[in-house]
Amino acid sequence: MTNRTITLRADLVERLEKLAERQGRSLDEVFGEILGHYLPAPGGNNWALAVAEHMEQADIAWSDDPDASLNSRQHYERHLHEKWQRIQNADDDNG
């Protein structure tokens, strides 16, 4: 890959340098990551793969629950019921 030069305002360069220094990475890595959020890499039209790769890199406390789908549904249904109850109580208070 060939190198090219881009001219940026000094304050932007300083911010990028500080960010790279804090993360212990090069400016190229930081700049590439920033652009990666807005533009896919060349040949990177597979959005599902990009999402999976970012999920693997993210610091996420994954749930290791074999019944997660069932439990998730139960939690959602409980949430909807509680919301419905709040609406009913609000109507009773106003009526």
Side-chain angles (χ1 to χ4, degrees):
M1 194 169 278
T2 61
N3 290 333
R4 294 176 60 182
T5 301
I6 296 175
T7 303
L8 298 172
R9 291 188 335 240
D11 64 313
L12 293 177
V13 173
E14 289 173 7
R15 289 172 60 192
L16 282 169
E17 288 172 337
K18 285 180 185 177
L19 181 60
E21 184 179 324
R22 269 187 272 149
Q23 295 180 356
R25 300 187 314 164
S26 71
L27 278 173
D28 285 350
E29 291 170 328
V30 171
F31 202 60
E33 180 182 337
I34 292 170
L35 287 176
H37 289 288
Y38 299 101
L39 297 170
N45 294 331
N46 188 341
W47 64 268
L49 178 60
V51 168
E53 288 173 347
H54 280 86
M55 289 174 68
E56 288 175 350
Q57 295 171 2
D59 185 21
I60 298 173
W62 295 103
S63 174
D64 190 17
D65 179 3
D67 295 325
S69 179
L70 176 64
N71 294 338
S72 176
R73 180 176 182 80
Q74 290 171 346
H75 291 305
Y76 182 67
E77 288 174 350
R78 186 177 326 119
H79 164 75
L80 290 179
H81 182 70
E82 290 170 358
K83 183 177 178 181
W84 176 81
Q85 285 180 323
R86 283 192 303 272
I87 292 170
Q88 297 305 310
N89 290 339
D91 286 346
D92 290 344
D93 293 343
N94 293 331

